[in-house]
Amino acid sequence: MTFGEQPAYLRVAGDLRKKIVDGSLPPHTRLPSQARIREEYGVSDTVALEARKVLMAEGLVEGRSGSGTYVRERPVPRRVARSGYRPDSGATPFRQEQADASVHGTWESRSRQVEASGAIAERLSLQPGDRVMCTNYVYREGGEAMMLSTSWEPLAVTGRTPVMLPEEGPLGGMGVVERMAAIDVIVDNVTEEVGARPGLAEELLALGGVPGHVVLVIQRTFYASGRPVETADVVVPADRYRIAYHLPVK
């Protein structure tokens, strides 16, 4: 292979990808068999198999047991809004994540006390093993799971207060800023880092993805006078959603 030349399996995958994108192979169409790919492109069985694997890893096709490999329906990406503006009234966690008063979603949550791992302790300026409240959320839009979030709050801040459980008590579901203000902790800064990675098996199971699908991960941390008071990982399927930021101009 000369310098700059693609391996054969990538060239085959690229041509099949183009046909999927331009509609020559529309959704629910059966992908050419391994034998057909071998004959049409003049490649070996190994190359044909690897090309199919590439398309499957990209989420463009899916295998159906006993039937073959088919082109997947390509979802139209929807928007998950992130905003520096806050509504006048207290926001639920789902509304806070969406920052869109027109969104009507549901969510499920579960809170438990755990010991902070090394990574979470670093994000919260704690010692590994310090106790934190960990809350897992599954957010749904129209019944479809569209976002996961795992939040950690230091019990040194919220322990034995009315806001110790994010979804219970008088301020349950009101969001981090409002809950912290109720115990005289004034949140004055928030940071978010956005990255992408292959989804974990349990994440893809919850979000309806297939192995190899990429997820967007928003690592968010709220601060009060420089002290981290909450950190969270928000996970969104990259093929179905886009993250849109709306930031105030100062």
Side-chain angles (χ1 to χ4, degrees):
M1 182 175 66
T2 61
F3 179 75
E5 183 181 353
Q6 281 189 323
Y9 76 94
L10 288 181
R11 295 200 305 274
V12 174
D15 189 67
L16 291 171
R17 184 191 302 112
K18 181 178 180 296
K19 291 179 179 179
I20 292 171
V21 172
D22 68 18
S24 300
L25 287 172
H28 310 297
T29 299
R30 185 172 181 176
L31 194 72
S33 67
Q34 188 168 314
R36 176 73 179 274
I37 292 173
R38 183 190 65 214
E39 294 171 4
E40 182 175 344
Y41 293 94
V43 296
S44 67
D45 281 331
T46 300
V47 168
L49 178 60
E50 290 302 314
R52 290 160 64 92
K53 285 182 179 179
V54 168
L55 298 176
M56 191 166 292
E58 293 176 351
L60 294 174
V61 301
E62 61 184 353
R64 299 180 186 175
S65 180
S67 180
T69 304
Y70 291 79
V71 177
R72 294 183 68 243
E73 186 82 43
R74 297 183 69 204
V76 177
R78 286 176 282 176
R79 183 174 63 108
V80 175
R82 313 289 295 173
S83 178
Y85 297 97
R86 297 191 60 78
D88 295 331
S89 59
T92 66
F94 187 61
R95 291 288 178 84
Q96 183 179 338
E97 297 292 352
Q98 294 262 33
D100 184 345
S102 68
V103 171
H104 299 284
T106 61
W107 68 91
E108 305 155 16
S109 66
R110 179 173 65 95
S111 295
R112 65 195 188 284
Q113 295 187 33
V114 301
E115 294 183 353
S117 66
I120 297 304
E122 182 176 359
R123 285 163 59 173
L124 290 172
S125 296
L126 304 174
Q127 294 298 317
D130 284 356
R131 303 292 289 177
V132 295
M133 183 65 69
C134 176
T135 304
N136 297 104
Y137 294 92
V138 179
Y139 297 98
R140 302 184 187 279
E141 186 178 11
E144 176 186 283
M146 52 83 63
M147 182 166 59
L148 307 176
S149 179
T150 304
S151 165
W152 297 270
E153 296 180 353
L155 286 173
V157 174
T158 62
R160 298 186 180 182
T161 73
V163 300
M164 184 173 73
L165 291 168
E167 292 296 317
E168 297 182 22
L171 293 179
M174 290 295 286
V176 175
V177 175
E178 291 79 7
R179 289 175 46 251
M180 292 295 171
I183 57 174
D184 298 322
V185 176
I186 306 304
V187 172
D188 54 17
N189 191 27
V190 59
T191 64
E192 292 193 351
E193 297 181 9
V194 182
R197 60 166 170 76
L200 303 178
E202 56 268 27
E203 293 169 341
L204 296 175
L205 180 63
L207 293 169
V210 299
H213 270 194
V214 172
V215 295
L216 300 174
V217 182
I218 304 169
Q219 182 177 299
R220 180 198 67 202
T221 304
F222 283 105
Y223 296 86
S225 299
R227 179 184 186 182
V229 296
E230 189 262 8
T231 193
D233 286 338
V234 181
V235 178
V236 181
D239 64 330
R240 283 184 275 152
Y241 293 92
R242 296 290 182 266
I243 307 299
Y245 280 86
H246 301 270
L247 305 175
V249 177
K250 295 185 178 180

